Amino acid sequence: MLNKMILPTERMDIHKPEIICHLDELMQQRGLTQQQLSEDTGIAPAGIRAYQYNSFRRIDRETLSTIAGYFQLKSFDDLFTMVYKENPKNP
């Protein structure tokens, strides 16, 4: 069976997950404020706030490495969850 080639003009039906960051929960478990985490890690408070409140637009590798090391995470699954919302039917 041949796979159909998708032309650039065709629209793919992609299910994009919502990415949820659990930094706020990790901070609460340790009783940390944004200021304390910023001082301990060197991450700017605005960067911490973006992950803490899920308002980040991009995921920075260096920042994640620092957070993972600080909290001694074994997997990024401890920091992020992907949630797939039901895709609305296309007309």
Side-chain angles (χ1 to χ4, degrees), residues 4-17:
K4 178 184 174 193
M5 188 169 97
I6 297 175
L7 300 174
T9 56
E10 294 183 62
R11 200 173 145 251
M12 292 179 57
D13 187 21
I14 299 174
H15 298 278
K16 288 186 178 180

Side-chain angles (χ1 to χ4, degrees), residues 7-53:
L7 300 174
T9 56
E10 294 183 62
R11 200 173 145 251
M12 292 179 57
D13 187 21
I14 299 174
H15 298 278
K16 288 186 178 180
E18 180 179 352
I19 298 173
I20 307 295
C21 182
H22 302 291
L23 182 58
D24 190 50
E25 295 164 30
L26 293 170
M27 291 171 61
Q28 287 179 17
Q29 288 171 3
R30 293 207 182 170
L32 292 170
T33 65
Q34 289 175 2
Q35 187 63 36
Q36 289 170 317
L37 185 57
S38 176
E39 289 172 4
D40 289 350
T41 62
I43 300 170
I48 293 169
R49 190 169 31 259
Y51 288 105
Q52 187 179 9
Y53 296 114

Side-chain angles (χ1 to χ4, degrees), residues 20-89:
I20 307 295
C21 182
H22 302 291
L23 182 58
D24 190 50
E25 295 164 30
L26 293 170
M27 291 171 61
Q28 287 179 17
Q29 288 171 3
R30 293 207 182 170
L32 292 170
T33 65
Q34 289 175 2
Q35 187 63 36
Q36 289 170 317
L37 185 57
S38 176
E39 289 172 4
D40 289 350
T41 62
I43 300 170
I48 293 169
R49 190 169 31 259
Y51 288 105
Q52 187 179 9
Y53 296 114
N54 288 293
S55 61
F56 56 92
R57 292 180 165 257
R58 291 182 168 39
I59 298 174
D60 180 73
R61 182 182 189 139
E62 184 65 30
T63 300
L64 292 188
S65 180
T66 301
I67 291 170
Y70 183 83
F71 288 101
Q72 298 180 342
L73 303 178
K74 296 192 185 315
S75 168
F76 283 113
D77 291 344
D78 296 334
L79 185 59
F80 292 106
T81 301
M82 292 190 305
V83 178
Y84 286 88
K85 295 184 178 181
E86 194 170 318
N87 195 22
K89 304 241 183 219

